[in-house]
Protein backbone atom coordinates (compact mmCIF):
# COMPACT_ATOMS: atom_id res chain seq x y z
CA UNK A 1 0.00 0.00 0.00
CA UNK A 2 1.20 3.50 -0.83
CA UNK A 3 -0.59 4.94 2.21
CA UNK A 4 -1.20 8.68 1.86
CA UNK A 5 0.29 10.43 -1.16
CA UNK A 6 0.31 14.11 -2.11
CA UNK A 7 0.76 15.82 -5.45
CA UNK A 8 2.77 17.93 -6.15
CA UNK A 9 5.74 17.82 -3.75
CA UNK A 10 6.84 21.38 -4.49
CA UNK A 11 5.22 24.35 -6.18
CA UNK A 12 5.97 28.03 -6.68
CA UNK A 13 3.04 30.32 -7.45
CA UNK A 14 2.74 33.99 -8.20
CA UNK A 15 0.29 36.06 -6.17
CA UNK A 16 -3.19 35.69 -7.59
CA UNK A 17 -2.61 32.35 -9.30
CA UNK A 18 -4.71 29.32 -8.46
CA UNK A 19 -3.81 25.71 -7.89
CA UNK A 20 -5.13 22.43 -6.52
CA UNK A 21 -3.30 20.09 -4.20
CA UNK A 22 -4.28 16.44 -4.45
CA UNK A 23 -4.29 13.97 -1.59
CA UNK A 24 -4.93 10.29 -2.17
CA UNK A 25 -5.13 7.38 0.27
CA UNK A 26 -5.49 3.68 -0.40
CA UNK A 27 -6.38 2.58 3.14
CA UNK A 28 -10.15 2.97 2.76
CA UNK A 29 -10.13 5.65 5.47
CA UNK A 30 -13.31 7.61 6.11
CA UNK A 31 -11.76 10.78 7.49
CA UNK A 32 -9.34 13.06 5.68
CA UNK A 33 -7.69 16.31 6.74
CA UNK A 34 -5.67 19.20 5.35
CA UNK A 35 -3.16 20.97 7.59
CA UNK A 36 -0.66 23.73 7.07
CA UNK A 37 2.62 23.83 8.96
CA UNK A 38 4.46 27.09 9.53
CA UNK A 39 7.59 27.60 11.67
CA UNK A 40 6.67 27.89 15.33
CA UNK A 41 2.96 27.42 14.63
CA UNK A 42 2.57 23.67 14.72
CA UNK A 43 -0.02 21.94 12.57
CA UNK A 44 -3.15 23.95 11.92
CA UNK A 45 -6.26 22.33 10.49
CA UNK A 46 -7.58 23.96 7.31
CA UNK A 47 -10.51 21.73 6.31
CA UNK A 48 -11.51 18.16 6.93
CA UNK A 49 -13.93 15.53 5.72
CA UNK A 50 -15.65 12.73 7.58
CA UNK A 51 -16.82 10.94 4.47
CA UNK A 52 -17.28 11.08 0.72
CA UNK A 53 -19.24 14.18 -0.27
CA UNK A 54 -18.79 15.94 3.10
CA UNK A 55 -16.43 18.73 4.13
CA UNK A 56 -16.08 20.99 7.15
CA UNK A 57 -14.02 24.01 8.14
CA UNK A 58 -11.10 23.74 10.47
CA UNK A 59 -9.12 26.37 12.34
CA UNK A 60 -7.77 28.36 9.35
CA UNK A 61 -10.13 27.83 6.36
CA UNK A 62 -10.05 31.31 4.77
CA UNK A 63 -8.62 31.40 1.25
CA UNK A 64 -8.99 27.64 0.74
CA UNK A 65 -11.67 25.35 -0.64
CA UNK A 66 -11.88 21.56 -0.59
CA UNK A 67 -13.76 18.76 -2.26
CA UNK A 68 -14.19 15.05 -1.47
CA UNK A 69 -15.90 13.64 -4.53
CA UNK A 70 -14.31 10.22 -4.08
CA UNK A 71 -13.59 8.50 -0.79
CA UNK A 72 -9.91 8.07 -1.58
CA UNK A 73 -9.24 11.64 -2.70
CA UNK A 74 -9.30 14.99 -0.91
CA UNK A 75 -8.51 18.12 -2.92
CA UNK A 76 -7.37 21.45 -1.53
CA UNK A 77 -7.81 24.50 -3.74
CA UNK A 78 -6.31 27.95 -3.59
CA UNK A 79 -8.37 30.25 -5.80
CA UNK A 80 -6.14 33.34 -5.55
CA UNK A 81 -2.84 32.59 -3.86
CA UNK A 82 -1.35 35.09 -1.40
CA UNK A 83 2.17 35.22 0.10
CA UNK A 84 0.61 34.40 3.49
CA UNK A 85 -0.24 30.97 2.07
CA UNK A 86 3.42 30.08 1.72
CA UNK A 87 3.65 26.97 3.86
CA UNK A 88 4.09 23.23 3.97
CA UNK A 89 0.76 21.48 3.47
CA UNK A 90 0.09 18.06 4.93
CA UNK A 91 -2.80 15.79 4.18
CA UNK A 92 -3.81 13.09 6.65
CA UNK A 93 -6.37 10.34 6.89
CA UNK A 94 -7.83 8.22 9.67
CA UNK A 95 -10.43 5.58 10.34
CA UNK A 96 -11.78 4.93 13.82
CA UNK A 97 -12.82 1.40 13.10
CA UNK A 98 -13.84 -0.97 15.83
CA UNK A 99 -10.84 -0.12 18.01
CA UNK A 100 -11.82 3.54 18.07
CA UNK A 101 -8.30 4.51 17.16
CA UNK A 102 -7.97 7.98 15.78
CA UNK A 103 -4.41 7.70 14.52
CA UNK A 104 -3.89 10.05 11.63
CA UNK A 105 -1.62 8.93 8.81
CA UNK A 106 0.14 11.82 7.14
CA UNK A 107 1.24 12.31 3.57
CA UNK A 108 4.79 13.48 2.71
CA UNK A 109 3.77 17.13 2.42
CA UNK A 110 3.69 19.78 -0.29
CA UNK A 111 5.96 22.78 -0.01
CA UNK A 112 4.23 25.79 -1.53
CA UNK A 113 5.86 29.16 -2.07
CA UNK A 114 3.81 32.17 -3.17
CA UNK A 115 5.84 35.09 -4.49
CA UNK B 1 -12.61 25.47 20.91
CA UNK B 2 -9.74 23.43 22.23
CA UNK B 3 -6.39 25.08 22.96
CA UNK B 4 -3.25 23.00 23.40
CA UNK B 5 -0.02 24.49 24.68
CA UNK B 6 3.47 23.03 24.84
CA UNK B 7 6.35 24.39 26.85
CA UNK B 8 9.22 24.91 26.39
CA UNK B 9 9.69 25.23 22.63
CA UNK B 10 13.11 23.56 22.72
CA UNK B 11 14.70 20.94 24.96
CA UNK B 12 18.26 19.66 24.94
CA UNK B 13 19.37 16.57 26.84
CA UNK B 14 22.48 14.42 27.05
CA UNK B 15 22.31 11.02 25.40
CA UNK B 16 21.14 8.47 27.93
CA UNK B 17 19.25 10.99 30.05
CA UNK B 18 15.47 11.16 30.28
CA UNK B 19 13.35 13.81 28.58
CA UNK B 20 9.94 15.01 29.68
CA UNK B 21 7.71 17.13 27.45
CA UNK B 22 4.57 18.65 28.89
CA UNK B 23 1.33 19.82 27.32
CA UNK B 24 -1.77 21.48 28.70
CA UNK B 25 -5.22 21.54 27.19
CA UNK B 26 -8.26 23.70 27.83
CA UNK B 27 -11.35 21.65 26.99
CA UNK B 28 -12.33 19.32 29.82
CA UNK B 29 -14.35 17.28 27.28
CA UNK B 30 -11.17 16.18 25.47
CA UNK B 31 -10.75 12.44 25.71
CA UNK B 32 -7.96 11.49 23.29
CA UNK B 33 -4.34 12.65 23.53
CA UNK B 34 -1.80 11.52 20.91
CA UNK B 35 1.87 12.41 20.52
CA UNK B 36 3.42 12.76 17.07
CA UNK B 37 7.10 12.80 16.17
CA UNK B 38 8.38 14.67 13.14
CA UNK B 39 11.94 14.20 11.99
CA UNK B 40 13.54 16.92 9.90
CA UNK B 41 11.96 17.04 6.45
CA UNK B 42 9.65 14.13 7.18
CA UNK B 43 5.96 13.70 7.89
CA UNK B 44 4.55 13.55 11.45
CA UNK B 45 4.06 10.03 12.78
CA UNK B 46 2.14 8.81 15.81
CA UNK B 47 4.38 7.43 18.54
CA UNK B 48 1.95 6.95 21.41
CA UNK B 49 -1.52 7.97 22.47
CA UNK B 50 -3.71 7.82 25.55
CA UNK B 51 -7.41 8.01 26.23
CA UNK B 52 -8.97 9.82 29.16
CA UNK B 53 -9.97 6.63 30.95
CA UNK B 54 -6.29 5.70 31.37
CA UNK B 55 -3.73 7.51 33.53
CA UNK B 56 -0.54 6.15 32.01
CA UNK B 57 0.58 4.17 28.99
CA UNK B 58 4.02 2.78 28.17
CA UNK B 59 5.67 1.50 25.03
CA UNK B 60 9.30 0.50 25.47
CA UNK B 61 11.28 3.71 26.15
CA UNK B 62 8.34 6.08 25.86
CA UNK B 63 5.42 6.68 28.16
CA UNK B 64 2.58 9.15 28.40
CA UNK B 65 0.85 10.28 31.59
CA UNK B 66 -2.43 12.13 31.86
CA UNK B 67 -3.74 14.31 34.67
CA UNK B 68 -7.36 15.08 33.86
CA UNK B 69 -7.87 17.25 36.94
CA UNK B 70 -5.02 19.56 36.01
CA UNK B 71 -5.67 19.14 32.28
CA UNK B 72 -2.14 18.29 31.34
CA UNK B 73 -0.35 15.31 29.86
CA UNK B 74 3.32 14.51 29.43
CA UNK B 75 5.59 12.48 27.19
CA UNK B 76 8.46 10.68 28.92
CA UNK B 77 11.41 9.34 26.96
CA UNK B 78 13.98 7.30 28.86
CA UNK B 79 17.54 6.44 27.80
CA UNK B 80 17.45 9.04 25.04
CA UNK B 81 19.33 8.34 21.83
CA UNK B 82 20.43 10.68 19.00
CA UNK B 83 17.62 9.29 16.81
CA UNK B 84 15.13 10.71 19.32
CA UNK B 85 16.10 14.20 18.10
CA UNK B 86 12.99 15.56 16.39
CA UNK B 87 10.00 17.85 16.82
CA UNK B 88 7.33 16.40 19.08
CA UNK B 89 3.72 17.50 18.83
CA UNK B 90 1.04 16.82 21.38
CA UNK B 91 -2.61 17.01 20.43
CA UNK B 92 -6.04 16.72 21.94
CA UNK B 93 -9.42 15.78 20.60
CA UNK B 94 -12.62 16.99 22.14
CA UNK B 95 -14.85 15.43 19.53
CA UNK B 96 -15.17 11.81 18.66
CA UNK B 97 -16.99 10.00 15.93
CA UNK B 98 -18.20 12.10 13.05
CA UNK B 99 -16.47 15.27 14.22
CA UNK B 100 -13.15 13.72 15.13
CA UNK B 101 -10.42 16.31 14.69
CA UNK B 102 -7.21 17.06 16.52
CA UNK B 103 -5.90 20.33 17.91
CA UNK B 104 -2.10 20.31 17.89
CA UNK B 105 0.33 22.16 20.09
CA UNK B 106 3.08 24.22 18.46
CA UNK B 107 5.68 21.52 18.92
CA UNK B 108 8.88 21.06 20.93
CA UNK B 109 12.25 20.53 19.32
CA UNK B 110 14.15 17.86 21.23
CA UNK B 111 17.91 17.68 20.73
CA UNK B 112 19.85 14.74 22.12
CA UNK B 113 23.54 15.53 22.53
CA UNK B 114 25.87 12.59 21.87
Amino acid sequence: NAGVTQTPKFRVLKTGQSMTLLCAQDMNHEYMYWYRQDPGMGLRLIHYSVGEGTTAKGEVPDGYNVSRLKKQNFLLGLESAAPSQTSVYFCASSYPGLALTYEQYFGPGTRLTVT
Amino acid sequence: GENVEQHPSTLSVQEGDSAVIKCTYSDSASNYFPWYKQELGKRPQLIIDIRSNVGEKKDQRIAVTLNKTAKHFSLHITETQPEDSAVYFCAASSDTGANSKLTFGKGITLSVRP
Side-chain angles (χ1 to χ4, degrees), chain A residues 2 4 31 33 35 37 40-43 45 48 50 57-59 90 94 100-108, chain B residues 32 36 38 41-46 49 51 87 89 93 95-107:
Chain A
V4 181
Y31 304 164
Y33 311 85
Y35 294 93
Q37 184 175 30
M41 297 298 292
L43 293 158
L45 184 64
Y48 64 105
V50 298
K57 294 180 179 180
E59 180 186 353
F90 284 101
S94 70
L100 290 179
T101 173
Y102 294 99
E103 177 176 1
Q104 292 189 13
Y105 294 82
F106 283 81
Chain B
Y32 175 66
Y36 283 79
Q38 185 180 30
K42 301 289 182 63
R43 70 191 77 187
Q45 290 187 299
L46 179 73
D49 55 11
R51 300 195 67 86
V87 178
F89 294 99
S93 175
D95 292 319
T96 56
N99 289 316
S100 174
K101 58 184 187 293
L102 294 173
T103 300
F104 284 87
K106 289 181 168 50

Side-chain angles (χ1 to χ4, degrees), chain A residues 27-97:
Chain A
M27 297 176 284
N28 200 34
H29 284 174
E30 289 292 333
Y31 304 164
M32 297 187 75
Y33 311 85
W34 275 108
Y35 294 93
R36 60 177 290 172
Q37 184 175 30
D38 303 293
M41 297 298 292
L43 293 158
R44 293 184 291 170
L45 184 64
I46 304 171
H47 286 280
Y48 64 105
S49 169
V50 298
E52 181 178 318
T54 74
T55 62
K57 294 180 179 180
E59 180 186 353
V60 288
D62 294 343
Y64 305 95
N65 56 75
V66 288
S67 64
R68 183 97 181 269
L69 298 179
K70 292 182 179 180
K71 185 177 183 178
Q72 63 267 34
N73 295 338
F74 195 28
L75 279 64
L76 178 71
L78 286 74
E79 291 186 346
S80 179
S84 60
Q85 294 177 305
T86 293
S87 187
V88 178
Y89 292 85
F90 284 101
C91 175
S93 70
S94 70
Y95 177 61

Side-chain angles (χ1 to χ4, degrees), chain B residues 6-83:
Chain B
Q6 291 184 245
H7 295 285
S9 59
T10 62
L11 179 63
S12 180
V13 299
Q14 192 72 37
E15 181 178 358
D17 288 349
S18 295
V20 181
I21 302 171
K22 298 180 181 178
C23 282
T24 60
Y25 62 98
S26 62
D27 190 341
S28 57
S30 289
N31 60 358
Y32 175 66
F33 307 92
W35 284 89
Y36 283 79
K37 175 184 180 182
Q38 185 180 30
E39 297 176 356
L40 189 62
K42 301 289 182 63
R43 70 191 77 187
Q45 290 187 299
L46 179 73
I47 54 171
I48 195 167
D49 55 11
I50 191 168
R51 300 195 67 86
S52 59
N53 58 349
V54 175
E56 182 176 4
K57 184 177 179 181
K58 290 183 179 180
D59 184 3
Q60 298 183 336
R61 294 188 298 108
I62 61 174
V64 56
T65 58
L66 172 65
N67 184 325
K68 289 170 54 180
T69 303
K71 288 192 279 189
H72 68 70
F73 55 111
S74 300
L75 177 70
H76 305 253
I77 306 174
T78 59
E79 300 174 11
T80 53
Q81 301 167 4
E83 52 264 39

